[in-house]
Amino acid sequence: MAEVDEMNKSQPIFIGIDIGTQGIRTIAIGYNGTIYAASTVTFNLAKGNELRMEQSPFMWWQHTAESIRQVANSLKEQKILNQVVSLSVTSTSGTVIPLDKQYEPLYNALMYSDSRSASEAALCREAAFAAGHYTAFSSSYGLPKIVWFHKHFPQIAKDVCLWAHPTDYIIGKLTGKWGITDYTSAFKSGYDLNNEKWPEYIEKTLKIPVKLLPIVLPSGTFAGNVSKECMEETGLPENVSVTLGLTDGCASQFASGSLSPGNWNTTIGTTLVIKGITYEPIIDEKGILYNHRHPDGYWMPGGASNTGGDWISIDYSKDELAYLNSKAYEYFPSRWISYPLRQKGERFPFAFPDIQGFDEPGLTKEQLFISRLEGVAYLERMAYEMIEKLSSEKVRAVFTAGGGSSSDVWLTIRSNVLKKPIIKMKHSDGAIGAAIVAAASYFGSIQEAGENMLKREKEVMFEEHISEQYEEGYERFIQALKKRGVVL
């Protein structure tokens, strides 16, 4: 962590907390982008929970308190703990928790990756479309999970007082304030962002009482101060404000540097997520592209693929990755085509439930690795071409985040396939995005906070002669998808 000089001893510090699928990440960052403390606490997930259909909110809070306490202790040692001004929280999109009258969980959190609500998702789509709402609900959305729970656990459901999202739950534990959420978390629970209300079909058609759903406000809205009880549990000082948080994809977008209209972000982690900022929502009648609401009043269209970087962590060790990344420079642009989907079905940039991943046969480990890097880049290009067609706006640069951004050769491949510059910040994880939201009220806006707190690490520029070589590969990738029945 950074050494604290005399000038920084009077400057504000903001804390961002990221509740992920596998653990908690907490970061304390200064007004000028200096990181003063960080903590990562990993979940000890029970064997047999590999699909992560459910997780314990009690476990989340226990580990969140521990992670905050570690950061607070570090700041205290540096004699800057009292400079903490505010904090905020990010977590998964589409995850929901049933709470009782005391705001305690009645059941585990139903995770975004829980696919048991597939038939309920179809009911939600039908109800939404009939009411004029073009929300392409899937089992990864929160509302179908709520409908599924009320159907399968009616005895527990009758005691539900509030359906909360992960950020809401942690913010409630921090402040003692309950029943509020943010635009980005509420979207996949069916909230109408255009008219800023819970639509009538949720109660009339799906039979979910709207009184069980939270009040929805912009990310960065003041939720309350850290409670005395929480101060004792976490070691945080007095008068630290807590602001409404946001979903992980939106947090990564802000952390990447995509802060104002015209900016776009690709985050490559387990999946590939693309989000941008526009003045108006992008209308996609197929429902493949959806629109979040920006805290400053703009729109944040985007989509998430089932393809991304999960194949890397599954198939290769860290030692192998170092070798393969260095060897990849010898192969690109390659003549091979891969689509490294690790499950059945795709949702973005095309929706096709029966598609499966494929590789060309007979490739060496090195050839297969470069082919898959290029395959994800081709998919990313498809997404941006779709976005440009629907919006009639040109994507001029791509801000990047996620584990996939740590590979320089992948950044180079992506830039040349996209024919666009790719910009990477020095620190771009979700906790940084949450800290930017926490700082928005201090700076006046998300954009001002990000511009002050983010530090650019590199910009990768495409080269025309390499980009031209990728044109043939991209066309072959498109044709390979069409042969498998994908309609583009």
Side-chain angles (χ1 to χ4, degrees):
M1 297 302 118
E3 292 185 7
V4 182
D5 58 34
E6 290 302 317
M7 182 181 72
N8 287 337
K9 282 188 176 180
S10 61
Q11 300 298 337
I13 293 172
F14 310 96
I15 292 177
I17 304 164
D18 182 5
I19 295 93
T21 307
Q22 301 182 51
I24 310 290
R25 176 74 169 162
T26 302
I27 291 177
I29 182 171
Y31 78 108
N32 62 354
T34 301
I35 294 179
Y36 292 109
S39 166
T40 300
V41 178
T42 303
F43 298 151
N44 183 19
L45 294 174
K47 200 167 184 180
N49 192 27
E50 288 82 2
L51 294 177
R52 298 179 176 86
M53 294 164 65
E54 299 177 7
Q55 284 190 1
S56 166
F58 297 107
M59 175 189 70
W60 291 347
W61 174 244
Q62 178 185 1
H63 290 318
T64 298
E66 178 186 352
S67 185
I68 296 173
R69 190 163 55 249
Q70 291 175 3
V71 166
N73 287 340
S74 177
L75 296 176
K76 187 175 182 180
E77 289 175 3
Q78 299 174 65
K79 299 181 179 180
I80 54 174
L81 178 59
N82 287 331
Q83 292 171 221
V84 176
V85 172
S86 60
L87 65 82
S88 196
V89 184
T90 180
S91 190
T92 55
S93 170
T95 300
V96 290
I97 315 159
L99 303 180
D100 65 16
K101 291 181 179 179
Q102 286 72 46
Y103 304 110
E104 294 293 340
L106 285 162
Y107 193 83
N108 282 337
L110 303 176
M111 299 295 288
Y112 67 96
S113 48
D114 179 357
S115 61
R116 290 175 292 181
S117 59
S119 60
E120 285 76 17
L123 292 175
C124 291
R125 284 195 301 273
E126 184 179 323
F129 275 52
H133 297 268
Y134 298 100
T135 305
F137 288 105
S138 71
S139 61
S140 66
Y141 278 51
L143 183 58
K145 299 181 194 305
I146 294 172
V147 175
W148 176 87
F149 187 85
H150 280 257
K151 177 182 177 181
H152 287 83
F153 298 96
Q155 289 302 111
I156 303 175
K158 66 181 178 58
D159 293 327
V160 174
C161 177
L162 175 68
W163 278 98
H165 308 97
T167 54
D168 315 345
Y169 178 73
I170 297 299
I171 288 170
K173 295 293 286 185
L174 288 165
T175 64
K177 308 294 183 182
W178 299 90
I180 49 176
T181 192
D182 66 277
Y183 286 151
T184 67
S185 295
F187 170 71
K188 288 190 177 180
S189 292
Y191 188 72
D192 181 352
L193 291 169
N194 289 288
N195 297 303
E196 298 194 17
K197 66 178 183 179
W198 294 105
E200 292 182 355
Y201 73 82
I202 292 179
E203 186 157 352
K204 287 187 175 180
T205 306
L206 300 175
K207 308 303 180 184
I208 303 299
V210 175
K211 67 180 182 180
L212 303 182
L213 303 175
I215 295 169
V216 185
L217 298 168
S219 299
T221 301
F222 175 73
N225 287 326
V226 172
S227 68
K228 290 184 178 180
E229 181 181 5
C230 181
M231 287 164 49
E232 293 176 2
E233 196 165 354
T234 63
L236 287 170
E238 290 184 327
N239 300 319
V240 174
S241 67
V242 179
T243 69
L244 293 186
L246 71 171
T247 56
D248 49 4
C250 295
S252 292
Q253 175 180 356
F254 291 155
S256 77
S258 175
L259 300 161
S260 57
N263 291 338
W264 287 85
N265 156 252
T266 299
T267 297
I268 300 180
T270 301
T271 60
L272 180 149
V273 180
I274 289 178
K275 292 183 182 292
I277 301 177
T278 56
Y279 288 103
E280 299 294 335
I282 296 179
I283 305 302
D284 175 21
E285 293 186 357
K286 294 181 180 179
I288 296 171
L289 201 70
Y290 54 83
N291 293 275
H292 279 298
R293 194 70 186 264
H294 192 285
D296 294 339
Y298 307 122
W299 291 89
M300 299 167 67
S305 171
N306 289 337
T307 314
D310 56 345
W311 57 274
I312 296 175
S313 59
I314 292 170
D315 293 344
Y316 304 103
S317 68
K318 289 185 179 180
D319 290 341
E320 283 181 306
L321 285 177
Y323 162 74
L324 290 169
N325 272 286
S326 64
K327 289 292 289 184
Y329 284 101
E330 300 177 16
Y331 288 98
F332 81 87
S334 85
R335 62 182 184 276
W336 308 296
I337 299 297
S338 288
Y339 173 46
L341 177 67
R342 298 308 296 263
Q343 63 186 69
K344 184 179 180 181
E346 183 59 276
R347 53 185 168 144
F348 179 76
F350 57 88
F352 194 76
D354 297 323
I355 190 70
Q356 293 182 312
F358 56 83
D359 301 297
E360 289 193 19
L363 299 184
T364 66
K365 181 176 285 190
E366 293 84 356
Q367 292 167 342
L368 185 61
F369 183 75
I370 185 67
S371 178
R372 288 178 172 179
L373 293 181
E374 290 172 335
V376 176
Y378 291 145
L379 200 72
E380 184 180 8
R381 174 167 167 176
M382 285 180 64
Y384 280 116
E385 287 184 351
M386 170 193 176
I387 287 164
E388 289 181 336
K389 183 178 179 180
L390 288 173
S391 68
S392 300
E393 295 181 16
K394 187 73 174 174
V395 177
R396 303 192 181 280
V398 174
F399 292 82
T400 192
S405 299
S406 62
S407 168
D408 286 345
V409 69
W410 207 358
L411 292 176
T412 302
I413 290 168
R414 289 169 54 204
S415 179
N416 282 286
V417 169
L418 295 174
K419 292 187 176 181
K420 303 180 191 302
I422 292 183
I423 301 164
K424 180 187 177 186
M425 297 297 166
K426 186 175 181 180
H427 305 289
S428 59
D429 61 30
I432 295 290
I436 289 171
V437 170
S441 60
Y442 175 85
F443 285 99
S445 69
I446 293 284
Q447 183 175 349
E448 286 292 322
E451 288 175 352
N452 279 274
M453 295 167 67
L454 294 174
K455 296 181 179 181
R456 185 174 294 198
E457 181 178 295
K458 65 180 65 175
E459 180 172 344
V460 179
M461 287 296 298
F462 64 95
E463 299 179 58
E464 287 289 349
H465 71 283
I466 298 177
S467 292
E468 289 304 317
Q469 294 178 66
Y470 270 124
E471 288 301 312
E472 181 185 353
Y474 180 57
E475 183 56 34
R476 290 180 62 222
F477 181 78
I478 296 293
Q479 292 305 316
L481 292 174
K482 288 182 177 179
K483 285 180 182 177
R484 288 163 172 82
V486 176
V487 178
L488 304 176

